[in-house]
Amino acid sequence: MFYGAMKLSIGGSLKLAFRPWVEGLENIPAEGPAILASNHLSFSDSFFLPAVLDRKITFIAKQEYFTSPGVKGKLTAAFFKGVGQLPVDRSGARGAGEAAIKSGIEVLERGELFGIYPEGTRSPDGRLYRGKPGGLARVALATGAPVIPVAMIDTEKIQPPGKVVPKLMRPGIRIGKPLDFSRYHGMDGDRFILRSVTDEVMYEIMKLSGQEYVDIYATAAKRQIAEEAKQKAEEEKAAKAAGLDKAEKADQADRPDEKA
């Protein structure tokens, strides 16, 4: 009931303000479990997708959103619970992955929709990055649930990094046809199968989104971008220091000899 009220309030407001367009809603089953695997461009992806669906969809969210102290923390926890977010302790990479997989399986065993971002994090530059094989493929093979590829379109343009006020524009959502991986049932321990399943899903997302595909993980790309930004800042700082030093020497050369 609380989810329904929050969906009506938040979902209705999002649809009224941004008017997202949607293609492929008929590919969402009216009942039964399914995994919605989406690209990840913006924090708002987890709100726009549920807003256009009639069924509840559960995403994984970091536990800190649910455990922050004070009034603000309680309001934040209520908000995330209300929009179908599930808290997972992400302390330790392996522990976080196992917790997410367990939570996803539980959601699907209840006959519900489970949402997941195979890239593992938001794209740093709007391109589509390599999918991580652990979560998506293992949940799919363990449950036999169909995987429905989803492409979020232009959501990163609504509120770019550093912008406080969102831009009113129409994002899009393309929902592809369900993918059946039942042929791999019981093979969730084979890393080559996990890689194959993940790559097939990412290929379908790429076709739906039209994004350029980059065959590295988004986390590695973020580190690379951060290192390049740091190196550029250091070079600019060094160039500025060299320019000041040169200007100071020139100034000293132009001064009359005080001893003369």
Side-chain angles (χ1 to χ4, degrees), residues 85-98:
Q85 303 284 315
L86 196 66
V88 169
D89 183 1
R90 289 162 57 167
S91 58
R94 183 170 179 80
E98 293 300 326

Side-chain angles (χ1 to χ4, degrees), residues 92-260:
R94 183 170 179 80
E98 293 300 326
I101 291 167
K102 183 175 181 292
S103 298
I105 291 173
E106 290 173 352
V107 169
L108 294 166
E109 286 179 343
R110 294 197 299 266
E112 300 174 3
L113 300 178
F114 177 61
I116 189 169
Y117 300 113
E119 291 169 280
T121 187
R122 279 175 279 173
S123 170
D125 54 14
R127 296 186 294 177
L128 184 68
Y129 286 85
R130 195 180 197 203
K132 294 190 173 183
L136 166 64
R138 285 181 60 189
V139 172
L141 299 188
T143 62
V147 179
I148 301 174
V150 176
M152 307 301 295
I153 311 291
D154 291 336
T155 52
E156 81 281 11
K157 297 177 182 178
I158 292 175
Q159 193 170 11
K163 298 291 184 180
V164 177
V165 180
K167 179 181 179 182
L168 288 178
M169 59 172 290
R170 294 190 72 189
I173 302 171
R174 288 197 183 100
I175 303 170
K177 295 184 180 299
L179 302 174
D180 179 12
F181 294 107
S182 58
R183 62 190 183 277
Y184 297 131
H185 181 69
M187 303 175 70
D188 53 310
D190 188 323
R191 63 188 180 93
F192 295 106
I193 295 297
L194 297 179
R195 181 77 267 161
S196 176
V197 168
T198 305
D199 287 346
E200 184 173 337
V201 174
M202 297 309 295
Y203 179 70
E204 294 300 321
I205 293 174
M206 181 186 69
K207 289 198 299 181
L208 291 168
S209 69
Q211 290 171 279
E212 176 187 349
Y213 179 75
V214 186
D215 196 24
I216 61 172
Y217 293 122
T219 48
K222 285 185 175 181
R223 285 195 300 269
Q224 182 178 336
I225 291 171
E227 289 170 1
E228 289 175 352
K230 182 180 178 181
Q231 182 178 350
K232 183 178 179 181
E234 290 175 349
E235 289 175 352
E236 289 177 350
K237 183 179 178 181
K240 185 178 179 181
L244 289 173
D245 184 55
K246 184 177 180 180
E248 185 178 342
K249 289 180 178 179
D251 182 58
Q252 290 176 352
D254 290 338
R255 291 178 187 175
D257 191 344
E258 295 179 357
K259 293 182 179 180

